[in-house]
Amino acid sequence: MKKFNNKTGDSSKKSWGDNKEPGKRTSYSKKKDSTDKTPVEKSEYKGRGRNQKPIFGKVEEKDKKKKTFKKPFSPIKTGKGKDEAQPIYNLKTIQKTAQTDSDEIRLNKFIANAGICSRRDADKLIEKGEISVNGKVVKEMGYKVLRKDRVEYKGKSIRPEKPVYILLNKPKDFITTTDDPFERKTVMHLVENACEERLFPVGRLDRNTTGLLLFTNDGELSAKLTHPSYEIKKIYQVTLDKPIAKNDVDTILEGVTLEDGLTEVDDLQVLSKDRMILGIEIHSGKNRIVRRIFAHFGYDVNALDRVTFAGLSKKDIPRGKYRFLEEKEVINLKFINKRKSKKRPI
């Protein structure tokens, strides 16, 4: 608008007006200089405001060199000063109830679970005729195999990867994603040297949220732990910007109605004398739910730490360290059942 107003001003004051040939009209397109265009400013995500709505701002000039992460974090050391060894789980007793050799599985998923490549790339291998099942080349998309079938790639038999379960005490400034196009620090950098199998995080923690984060290659267990019907318990330690009022504690315990519906809080305890540090137990998996609950009552969350997830504790796991789950812990996770619907009093 500013440029347009300048061009509609007094032409007698413009130097280019004196050079026009008589009888000729200069078109607007000739007046306009393409070099005068101001570049469109790019914006980037800056965080969230007090109302938990996203804030965008001007992109800051940064060094575009990709940062390298050479073992920035490590597993917990054993008593002899050695890294904790990757365990082998004997889950046959519980796998009989979940999977049997007679269960069919899509061939591309079988290949992906073996750690060869992604499902999409597995389809390309199948299409090229590089996969054989029980000695016969298979090129059919959507082909299903039994778990006991012999699947070969490049003349070698492949099997789904052995299951891996890792518990990390996540530090701040790492985003929960398997890949980031902006080359920011991700949680995958923290466990990249843990094992050869391909891992993915179960659920997510915000960039500035710390605490327990589970990694696995067990898709079935991951789906269970993130499905709302299982109501997986999570406990957070919350540090607020100001003391919380007693009536707000009572109101939160009764249930909070946010823009995406009612959110039930299982427990809320004040942990410090100044009433700024709290413990909250919740089973909801909604995005940024803890921060949004307190923002609804006018509080900013200065620090958020997940101390319990699905019965797992971060005890003896320092910040930035991880450990492999014990077999008993895996079995407990496998046997988590759906929560029965609660009958509310009429």
Side-chain angles (χ1 to χ4, degrees), residues 151-209:
V151 180
E152 294 184 348
Y153 170 58
K154 291 184 177 181
K156 295 183 179 180
S157 178
I158 60 175
R159 298 294 301 172
E161 293 178 329
K162 59 183 179 182
V164 181
Y165 308 91
I166 291 177
L167 194 60
L168 168 76
N169 188 350
K170 175 187 173 296
K172 289 180 64 175
D173 296 327
F174 285 82
I175 59 175
T176 307
T177 182
T178 54
D179 185 43
D180 181 63
F182 302 104
E183 299 181 352
R184 293 172 295 182
K185 296 183 293 186
T186 75
V187 292
M188 302 310 298
H189 290 121
L190 307 178
V191 296
E192 62 183 353
N193 299 306
C195 60
E196 296 180 356
E197 290 78 11
R198 295 185 303 126
L199 299 174
F200 53 86
V202 178
R204 61 180 295 123
L205 289 178
D206 297 331
R207 183 174 185 170
N208 291 324
T209 300

Side-chain angles (χ1 to χ4, degrees), residues 172-266:
K172 289 180 64 175
D173 296 327
F174 285 82
I175 59 175
T176 307
T177 182
T178 54
D179 185 43
D180 181 63
F182 302 104
E183 299 181 352
R184 293 172 295 182
K185 296 183 293 186
T186 75
V187 292
M188 302 310 298
H189 290 121
L190 307 178
V191 296
E192 62 183 353
N193 299 306
C195 60
E196 296 180 356
E197 290 78 11
R198 295 185 303 126
L199 299 174
F200 53 86
V202 178
R204 61 180 295 123
L205 289 178
D206 297 331
R207 183 174 185 170
N208 291 324
T209 300
T210 60
L212 288 183
L213 187 62
L214 181 66
F215 292 80
T216 185
N217 56 356
D218 187 338
E220 182 180 0
L221 179 62
S222 176
K224 174 188 288 189
L225 296 179
T226 54
H227 198 280
S229 63
Y230 287 89
E231 297 187 357
I232 300 301
K233 182 176 75 172
K234 298 170 277 284
I235 298 178
Y236 295 85
Q237 179 173 301
V238 187
T239 303
L240 301 179
D241 63 328
K242 58 185 177 182
I244 190 169
K246 185 179 185 305
N247 60 322
D248 287 338
V249 173
D250 297 336
T251 304
I252 291 174
L253 285 171
E254 291 174 1
V256 184
T257 301
L258 303 174
E259 63 273 12
D260 51 359
L262 176 66
T263 297
E264 295 178 341
V265 174
D266 301 318

Side-chain angles (χ1 to χ4, degrees), residues 85-345:
Q86 180 178 346
I88 299 176
Y89 303 102
N90 181 16
L91 305 176
K92 293 181 179 180
T93 55
I94 59 174
Q95 285 176 342
K96 289 180 180 179
T97 60
Q99 298 175 349
T100 64
D101 287 343
S102 61
D103 292 336
E104 290 185 333
I105 181 174
R106 289 175 69 95
L107 180 56
N108 63 349
K109 182 179 180 181
F110 186 99
I111 298 169
N113 288 348
I116 302 299
C117 58
S118 66
R119 291 195 193 187
R120 182 176 297 180
D121 291 336
D123 285 333
K124 295 178 182 178
L125 295 178
I126 296 170
E127 188 177 7
K128 292 178 182 178
E130 297 186 26
I131 304 297
S132 65
V133 180
N134 297 328
K136 296 182 180 180
V137 175
V138 174
K139 294 185 177 182
E140 178 185 343
M141 293 295 103
Y143 187 86
K144 293 185 178 181
V145 297
L146 300 176
R147 296 184 181 276
K148 62 182 180 180
D149 287 338
R150 181 178 178 82
V151 180
E152 294 184 348
Y153 170 58
K154 291 184 177 181
K156 295 183 179 180
S157 178
I158 60 175
R159 298 294 301 172
E161 293 178 329
K162 59 183 179 182
V164 181
Y165 308 91
I166 291 177
L167 194 60
L168 168 76
N169 188 350
K170 175 187 173 296
K172 289 180 64 175
D173 296 327
F174 285 82
I175 59 175
T176 307
T177 182
T178 54
D179 185 43
D180 181 63
F182 302 104
E183 299 181 352
R184 293 172 295 182
K185 296 183 293 186
T186 75
V187 292
M188 302 310 298
H189 290 121
L190 307 178
V191 296
E192 62 183 353
N193 299 306
C195 60
E196 296 180 356
E197 290 78 11
R198 295 185 303 126
L199 299 174
F200 53 86
V202 178
R204 61 180 295 123
L205 289 178
D206 297 331
R207 183 174 185 170
N208 291 324
T209 300
T210 60
L212 288 183
L213 187 62
L214 181 66
F215 292 80
T216 185
N217 56 356
D218 187 338
E220 182 180 0
L221 179 62
S222 176
K224 174 188 288 189
L225 296 179
T226 54
H227 198 280
S229 63
Y230 287 89
E231 297 187 357
I232 300 301
K233 182 176 75 172
K234 298 170 277 284
I235 298 178
Y236 295 85
Q237 179 173 301
V238 187
T239 303
L240 301 179
D241 63 328
K242 58 185 177 182
I244 190 169
K246 185 179 185 305
N247 60 322
D248 287 338
V249 173
D250 297 336
T251 304
I252 291 174
L253 285 171
E254 291 174 1
V256 184
T257 301
L258 303 174
E259 63 273 12
D260 51 359
L262 176 66
T263 297
E264 295 178 341
V265 174
D266 301 318
D267 195 11
L268 180 63
Q269 299 289 334
V270 178
L271 304 179
S272 64
K273 291 182 178 180
D274 61 6
R275 302 185 65 83
M276 294 174 65
I277 301 178
L278 315 173
I280 184 170
E281 180 182 326
I282 200 167
H283 61 263
S284 173
K286 295 178 181 178
N287 186 35
R288 299 181 65 86
I289 188 61
V290 175
R291 295 182 186 272
R292 288 195 290 127
I293 286 174
F294 289 103
H296 182 75
F297 293 89
Y299 301 95
D300 280 340
V301 175
N302 291 338
L304 186 61
D305 184 47
R306 186 156 73 182
V307 297
T308 299
F309 175 73
L312 300 171
S313 168
K314 68 184 184 112
K315 181 182 178 182
D316 300 328
I317 308 179
R319 187 82 73 218
K321 301 286 186 177
Y322 61 82
R323 69 171 177 85
F324 294 94
L325 293 191
E326 297 176 0
E327 184 173 307
K328 182 179 179 180
E329 293 174 315
V330 176
I331 293 174
N332 289 338
L333 293 177
K334 291 279 190 178
F335 275 107
I336 291 178
N337 295 319
K338 291 183 180 180
R339 293 284 295 271
K340 296 181 180 179
S341 59
K342 301 175 183 178
K343 295 182 179 180
R344 296 184 176 275

